[in-house]
Amino acid sequence: MRKLSAEAIIKAYTTMAKERQGAPIGERVFSRESRIPRYNWAGGYWRSWSAFQEAAGYLPNDATQKIPDEVLLRRFAE
């Protein structure tokens, strides 16, 4: 499979995002559903998935926040 252009990758992402009412799409979901492997975009066009999402005009996914130890310990004790 030949390497896709940056525009083709962004178009595929935009199409998927519209189908999901603009919700951000994770890297694995995008690769699986679009059948565009990571090597088509990583390192060549964009340095990270967040950089790709920004270039496509979307806000990057938020990182999962750590649950404070006190909350975890309290819930575990309950």
Side-chain angles (χ1 to χ4, degrees):
M1 179 178 184
R2 67 179 181 76
K3 190 167 182 175
L4 297 173
S5 68
E7 293 81 18
I9 298 168
I10 289 174
K11 183 177 179 182
Y13 185 89
T14 302
T15 300
M16 286 180 69
K18 285 180 183 176
E19 291 170 357
R20 296 166 185 252
Q21 289 76 43
I25 301 164
E27 177 184 340
R28 288 186 203 132
V29 171
F30 177 73
S31 290
R32 182 181 64 236
E33 293 185 14
S34 69
R35 294 193 172 130
I36 297 174
R38 185 176 199 279
Y39 69 80
N40 270 278
W41 63 267
Y45 298 125
W46 302 281
R47 61 179 164 63
S48 66
W49 184 247
S50 295
F52 164 72
Q53 287 177 311
E54 289 175 7
Y58 293 87
L59 293 175
N61 295 343
D62 292 329
T64 303
Q65 299 298 314
K66 180 183 184 292
I67 299 172
D69 291 339
E70 301 81 39
V71 173
L72 286 176
L73 292 172
R74 187 173 347 108
R75 289 189 183 162
F76 183 70
E78 292 172 350

